[in-house]
Amino acid sequence: MTDASSPKRRQLALWFPYLPADRLRQQEPDRCVSASAPPDAALVFVAKQKNALRLAAVDAAAQALGLAPGMALADARVRVPGLIAVEADTAADRHWLDLLAHSCTRFSPHVVPHPPDAIAIDIAGCEHLFGGEAGLVEALAEHVEQRGMTARIACAATAEAALALARHARLPVADEGKAIRALPVMALGLDEEATLGLVRAGLKSIGAVAARPRAALAARFGIEAVRALERLLGEEHRPGTPLRHQAPLRFERRFAEPVAHERAVAAAFAELLAESARVLEKRGLGGRRFRLTLD
């Protein structure tokens, strides 16, 4: 039972369809151009799969030319001779996604990265700070655009529904429920075998799957298919693990007797700075603000 006085649960999803390309253009723009290719050349990211180089990700220009992840690099070069191929770096992409997620905590304290290319944000109780849900979406769109990112943004009752709408629906969505039921079955996020089984059974949309008895779905396709459907329809909520904010580092010096000379204070301060520098270097961190407190 839900308390009628409790705030309505709302989840916002940001999907970055070209995250590797957008990241590389921000971090290493020189790698996105080639002297032998036109300035607007298609950019693809390759990874070795089963002893063959295949596309792991593409940018908007490559997608418009018919290139897609999974395609062999040799076939892609035949289709688009002037494309630029860069080795995929999943670790760098994940770090970039985490940085984006941390930057979104200014909009809500509950931000959950969904690797490899999405972020979910619980916005319940936060919308009024931006003039409503539409204002918050507009502010977030501007926020990610300033960081050079292409994003699709959608809202729904659950994170799974919002992510599915962001990835598969025509935005903006006028009727959330209708849009969810019109999504393709791949929006359930099941494995390839289960998705193919649903399609072969004639269940090509979420609405078609929802029309079937849940017991029959569970018996044929597994209980996870039913749970995924319920999360998309807003009938079940599975909270994600939000980002953990690291507590500030503290370094102290305590004295048995009161310190009477300024020189002793300066010496202790220098020792604390040196200690903090060693810890930051060991952890691979940096500092933006330091505060000295004297008691």
Side-chain angles (χ1 to χ4, degrees), residues 74-140:
D75 294 339
R77 288 197 183 280
V78 170
R79 288 194 183 192
V80 186
L83 66 82
I84 299 172
V86 178
E87 185 178 358
D89 190 340
T90 54
D93 292 340
R94 174 59 199 266
H95 181 61
W96 189 256
L97 182 67
D98 286 343
L99 290 177
L100 289 169
H102 277 286
S103 76
C104 290
T105 55
R106 68 184 62 184
F107 299 96
S108 168
H110 197 289
V111 178
V112 182
H114 284 260
D117 54 12
I119 296 170
I121 305 175
D122 189 333
I123 61 172
C126 301
E127 311 100 305
H128 69 282
L129 300 174
F130 302 89
E133 188 174 291
L136 195 154
V137 170
E138 184 178 349
L140 259 170

Side-chain angles (χ1 to χ4, degrees), residues 40-61:
D40 57 347
L43 175 65
V44 300
F45 295 80
V46 299
K48 201 167 188 179
Q49 300 176 14
K50 297 180 180 179
N51 297 321
L53 285 177
R54 295 188 175 275
L55 306 191
V58 300
D59 72 348

Side-chain angles (χ1 to χ4, degrees), residues 246-251 276 279-280 283 285-286 289-291:
Q246 188 174 17
L249 296 176
R250 297 176 63 90
F251 304 91
S276 65
V279 173
L280 289 171
R283 297 188 183 185
L285 301 175
R289 182 170 57 187
F290 297 85
R291 184 173 63 186

Side-chain angles (χ1 to χ4, degrees), residues 86-260:
V86 178
E87 185 178 358
D89 190 340
T90 54
D93 292 340
R94 174 59 199 266
H95 181 61
W96 189 256
L97 182 67
D98 286 343
L99 290 177
L100 289 169
H102 277 286
S103 76
C104 290
T105 55
R106 68 184 62 184
F107 299 96
S108 168
H110 197 289
V111 178
V112 182
H114 284 260
D117 54 12
I119 296 170
I121 305 175
D122 189 333
I123 61 172
C126 301
E127 311 100 305
H128 69 282
L129 300 174
F130 302 89
E133 188 174 291
L136 195 154
V137 170
E138 184 178 349
L140 259 170
E142 183 179 353
H143 174 74
V144 296
E145 184 180 352
Q146 289 175 349
R147 282 153 179 75
M149 300 302 296
T150 302
R152 284 169 55 86
I153 305 176
C155 296
T158 66
E160 289 81 4
L163 288 165
L165 290 172
R167 288 190 171 107
H168 302 288
R170 180 176 294 180
L171 302 177
V173 170
D175 186 324
E176 183 180 313
K178 186 176 180 180
I180 289 173
R181 290 177 179 274
L183 294 174
V185 290
M186 67 178 64
L188 288 170
L190 303 176
D191 59 46
E192 186 176 350
E193 183 179 352
T195 302
L196 185 59
L198 287 166
V199 173
R200 286 175 174 171
L203 306 176
K204 298 181 179 180
S205 69
I206 299 302
V209 177
R212 293 295 181 92
R214 304 293 168 86
L217 287 174
R220 185 168 180 181
F221 302 105
I223 190 62
E224 183 53 37
V226 174
R227 289 174 177 166
L229 175 65
E230 290 175 344
R231 287 192 290 268
L232 275 186
L233 297 177
E235 298 171 4
E236 179 185 328
H237 176 65
R238 181 177 64 178
T241 303
L243 294 171
R244 292 182 179 179
H245 296 278
Q246 188 174 17
L249 296 176
R250 297 176 63 90
F251 304 91
E252 294 183 345
R253 287 289 185 275
R254 294 179 178 272
F255 303 93
E257 300 292 338
V259 177

